[in-house]
Structure formats: C-alpha cells, structure tokens
Amino acid sequence: MNFLRRRLSDSSFVANLPNGYMTDLQRPDSSTSSPASPAMERRHPQPLAASFSSPGSSLFSSFSSAMKQTSQAPSGLMEPPGPSAPIVQRPRILLVIDDAHTDWTKYFHGKKVNGEIEIRVEQAEFSELNLAAYVTGGCMVDMQVMRNGTKVVRSFKPDFILVRQHAYSMALGEDYRSLVIGLQYGGLPAVNSLYSVYNFCSKPWVFSQLIKIFHSLGPEKFPLVEQTFFPNHKPMLTAPHFPVVVKLGHAHAGMGKIKVENQHDYQDITSMVAMAKTYATTEAFIDSKYDIRIQKIGSNYKAYMRTSISGNWKANTGSAMLEQVAMTERYRLWVDSCSEMFGGLDICAVKAVHSKDGRDYIIEVMDSSMPLIGEHVEEDRQLMADLVISKMSQLLMPGGTVPSPLRPWAPQSKPAKSPGPAHMGPLLGQPQPRPPTQGGPRQTPTQAPVRSGSPSQQRLSPQGQQPLSPQSGSPQQRSPGSPQLSRASSGTSPNQASKPGAPLTSQARPPVQGRSVSQQGEESKKPAPPHPHLNKSQSLTNSLSTSDASQRGTPSEDEAKAETIRNLRKSFASLFSD
C-alpha cells in the first residue's frame, strides 16, 4: 500500500496518464458511456494538473464512488422519490329534480363520494331548468329558482342527476321531455336512468312491458289486469262488460280516470276522447277490498296496504287508512320483475288491487318519481341519497362506467389466447422489410439471417434488449470492454473472453468503421494486446464490472471482498506494467 501511495503521489506518473482519465473516473454518470471513449476525450480536453491537487486521494475516491454506484444500482438501494403532493379534487355537482317542499341538501350533508370528494346539491323543478348539450362539452344547465322571495340564477355542469318529478303530464299540461332528451344528449348519469325516465312518459308504453312479464311468468305468478288500448276514439264502439274504467292519455294521481257503468255512459266518454285527441285504455272495474303498493329503493323493500274510508272507488282519493304489511316472496317477485324493465330501475313501485273475492290484480308500475307514503318517508329519502352516493362512487372508480340501459349486464371478457409461432409477429431484433414507395418498383423482401436453433429455444438477454440463442453466451459477439457484457457473463475475466475456439453465432455484428470483417474476425481470435493508453482504462472497468458480477454471484460476502481485492491488484499490475 505504501508503494501505491508513493507511486500515485509521483507527478510524473499522473502526467503520463491518458488525457481525461481521472476526469472520467470522478464523473458520476460514467456508467452511461465508456470511460476511455475517444469522443469523451475530445469533449473534455482539460488539464489534469489544475484539476487535482492530490492525485492519490482522488483516485481512491473515484474507485470507491464507482464501486458504490455499481453495487447500489442493480440491488435497488437508490433513494426513492419523495412523496407527491395530494391532489385536491373538485366537488361533484348533484342535480335533484324535485319540488321545493323537500330539501334534499340535508340528506347529503356531510356525505362524500368515496369518502374524499364533496357533493354540491343543486335542486330545482323541471319548469325552472333550461340547458344546452354538446357532443364534447357535456351539458350546461341554467337554473332560475325562487329562494325565500329572491330569484336565484345559476349555470353549472352537473355530474349526476336524481329525478324525483314527472317529466310529462297531460292533465297539468306539463311536457319536459325535451329536457330529458337534452340531459341524455349530454351523457349524464341519473337515478333512475334517463332512458327509463323517457320511456315512463307514456303509461301504455310501460304497460306493454308488464304484458311481456305476464307472458313470461304466467297469470299465477304475475296476475295482470285485463286492459284494452285504443289509439283514438274511432275503435271505441262498446265494452265487453260493464262497469269499466276508462283512462285518458297520460296522467297521474288518479287524474284522467272515469268509471263507466253502462253503454250510454260509454258513448258519452267516447266523445270526450275525440275532443281530447289522445289515446285511451279500458280495463275491467275491480271491486277492491284494499290497494297494495310494493316499493323497492336499491335493495330495500317495503309493502303497504291502503284501505279507503270515504267509500270512493279510487283508494288514493279521499280518506284512506295506510298500514305497512309483511313483505312476501310473491310481492318480491313482482317488484323484482318490474325493476328489470328499460335496462333496470333502481327505484320503482308496483301497484295492485286486492278484490273482495281474494284475488290480486297488478294495475301499474311507477319509477323514481313515485310519491313516498307511510311513516318511513324520511328513511326512504335517506335510502335514495345513499343509493345516489353509491352510484356516484362507482363512476369515480378506475374503469367505472354507467351500464347501458339496453345492456345492463357486464360484457363477458374472453380469455386472451397466446399467439402461436405461426401468428407471432417478427421477433425482437430481426430486420423488417421496408414497404415499397408509391410508384416505385417492388422489391423482394430479403430473408432474415438464419439463427442457430428454433425460435422456441431463443431467449432474451439479461438486459432484455435482444433475443439470444443458447450459443450466444460467447463474449466475442460483443466488444470486450462493454460493462453490460461483463455483468452478463457472470464472472468471466477479459482474458478468458478472448480465448480462441469459442463458438460463434451465425449472426455477425456490423463492421466497425475503418475495418473489414475479415480483420475483425482475425483480431477476435487473437488475444488483444494491452494498449498503453486505451486498454488500461478498459481493463480497469472490466475488472470493476467483473468483480461486481462475481460479488453478486458468490454466496459469501468475505469471498466477494477477497475477489474484489484480487481484481484490483490485477488492474494495478496491468496499469503499472509499463
């Protein structure tokens, strides 16, 4: 060690070193290029005497820094990047379409989507809304409402919609189907879906879905009332039996319904249908004992029984007594079957009539605009709020989308088939034929060089850059001074790498500029003589890389240190040989 210190402290020894030798050893990014590269020598022609005041200490520090970098990089001991700053996401806007009698803000107070994103509630009726929908810009909603005697005007882009109001009613002269179309045009998710809301704007259209369920389940499981549809007044000549109930157009809350006792009254009603210029339906009058209502909000079920006290044949008109009854499997089947129409209804209710002879008749189904009844109105509203938050959370999950109303089920994922050898594309590293230019002569594609071994026997190199055959482990295919080759060869020294008789692959590397292929072949077979300037740094780099590879390969840490010291001695011996 004293000899090395004296040798390194000699100024004549430092002066005889190659230009840029010490600078390349101290640079931290020396692993990206060869330390003795001639291009790097031309880029950094700096005098060494002005850069180093103590050559011995600089050389040892460069050795230690180089060994630390080579040992830390493959083992993953580099410092991880610092934690990124949290991203503050904007609050999601929920548009609740309902009258002002219910304040939906309190049901969403303190609730967050996925526990992180706040919810801003905007509530208005259909009559207070206007909008503009775009293909790429979404939907911009304009709201003009009266709050405590003050007119409030706002414009916003909603992220979700809760529909709690009828979009169409002929009795009240309200037709907001154009707003439903605009919201659907903007691609907004809603509860219930806008597709189902638009379909519920015609009661005979909804009843046609009940007919499909009736034919599917049968009259025993799904007892549907007998009904006849007339598009106008002309086919309404007579009824098969009396009394009958005539329903005009699309109305709610018992409006537009007339009980007809005989044929003369029926003719009078036909004239009224002609004046209304709308469709009509007739169904047999059922002398009911009570009405039944089965509602479903998400996964919550409730059943109610309503009995008229005033004696009116409409149980929802006048005085009535309401009580909650047990939820039977028969009722559950009814509401579950109806909840599947129009792509799925998250909120729905089925209305039925229980006659005095003990038979049930299903007469109607309602969507999310149904009125809430009973003693659990607050609970039902909170269930609706929780359902909306759950739907909004599903949309914000990675890959979360709103299922299409026409295809509510998830698409079946087909297992990916691994391509066979005949269907595989060109292997990595093989030259691909260049497409011919337009108007030029066609060129026959050149065949790729034949590799030794089948394609299934080829494997990727440890660096994952080029597929190698089983015989491509010879170091003659790469330059003897490459650090990647020395690490991949798992402990082979530079002298062993240039032994003659090593097997050669059929694919040759492109010739170096200024040398022919034959000259390179002869030089690869001969042991490379140590260059006085260039090969000293290359042998030093190879010894460092080889020591690093041998250190990773040996099981004992002491043996790895001993191997590193032996390689350093060899490098110093070759360095001071001249």
Side-chain angles (χ1 to χ4, degrees), residues 292-520:
I292 304 171
R293 170 173 163 161
I294 308 103
Q295 70 179 29
K296 177 181 179 183
I297 303 175
S299 58
N300 183 268
Y301 299 84
K302 289 185 178 69
Y304 294 94
M305 180 179 66
R306 183 173 55 186
T307 306
S308 177
I309 300 176
S310 58
N312 198 314
W313 67 274
K314 298 179 183 178
N316 58 351
T317 304
S319 301
M321 182 179 61
L322 183 68
E323 59 179 326
Q324 186 174 358
V325 296
M327 188 70 188
T328 63
E329 292 298 327
R330 179 181 174 89
Y331 295 164
R332 189 185 300 270
L333 176 63
W334 293 356
V335 70
D336 285 342
S337 301
C338 294
S339 65
E340 296 176 358
M341 64 174 57
F342 303 127
L345 305 176
D346 298 309
I347 302 173
C348 65
V350 176
K351 293 177 65 176
V353 175
H354 184 80
S355 63
K356 293 182 178 179
D357 57 359
R359 301 179 62 181
D360 295 330
Y361 298 92
I362 298 174
I363 59 174
E364 188 182 357
V365 61
M366 297 179 290
D367 64 342
S368 59
S369 59
M370 64 180 185
L372 299 178
I373 59 175
E375 300 176 355
H376 306 284
V377 174
E378 293 295 323
E379 178 187 351
D380 294 340
R381 288 172 182 164
Q382 190 61 54
L383 288 173
M384 291 183 180
D386 296 339
L387 177 63
V388 169
I389 295 173
S390 175
K391 293 291 182 179
M392 295 178 70
S393 301
Q394 292 178 9
L395 292 176
L396 295 181
M397 290 178 63
T401 56
V402 182
S404 172
L406 298 178
R407 296 177 179 269
W409 56 87
Q412 297 180 358
S413 58
K414 297 182 179 180
K417 297 182 179 180
S418 58
H423 300 280
M424 291 177 63
L427 295 176
L428 184 63
Q430 287 189 358
Q432 300 181 5
R434 183 177 180 179
T437 58
Q438 295 183 0
R442 296 185 178 179
Q443 299 177 359
T444 58
T446 57
Q447 296 181 357
V450 181
R451 295 179 179 268
S452 59
S454 61
S456 60
Q457 295 177 354
Q458 296 178 357
R459 59 181 176 85
L460 290 176
S461 61
Q463 288 80 17
Q465 296 179 357
Q466 185 176 1
L468 300 176
S469 62
Q471 298 179 355
S472 61
S474 62
Q476 293 182 358
Q477 192 174 356
R478 299 181 181 268
S479 59
S482 175
Q484 295 181 357
L485 176 62
S486 60
R487 289 194 296 268
S489 58
S490 67
T492 56
S493 62
N495 296 329
Q496 295 176 357
S498 60
K499 282 185 178 182
L504 296 175
T505 57
S506 60
Q507 183 179 5
R509 293 177 60 86
V512 187
Q513 296 181 1
R515 296 184 181 182
S516 62
V517 181
S518 60
Q519 291 177 357
Q520 287 186 353

Side-chain angles (χ1 to χ4, degrees), residues 179-218:
L179 294 178
V180 178
I181 295 174
L183 296 174
Q184 177 73 6
Y185 192 94
L188 294 176
V191 170
N192 289 337
S193 66
L194 297 173
Y195 176 81
S196 65
V197 171
Y198 189 83
N199 280 275
F200 265 85
C201 290
S202 177
K203 286 192 174 183
W205 184 266
V206 177
F207 199 87
S208 66
Q209 302 296 317
L210 297 178
I211 296 175
K212 291 182 179 180
I213 301 175
F214 170 77
H215 291 303
S216 175
L217 299 179

Side-chain angles (χ1 to χ4, degrees), residues 244-248 254 256-260 269 272 313-314:
V244 295
V245 177
V246 180
K247 299 179 180 180
L248 278 74
K257 300 177 183 179
I258 307 170
K259 179 183 176 183
V260 179
I269 293 300
M272 298 300 296
W313 67 274
K314 298 179 183 178

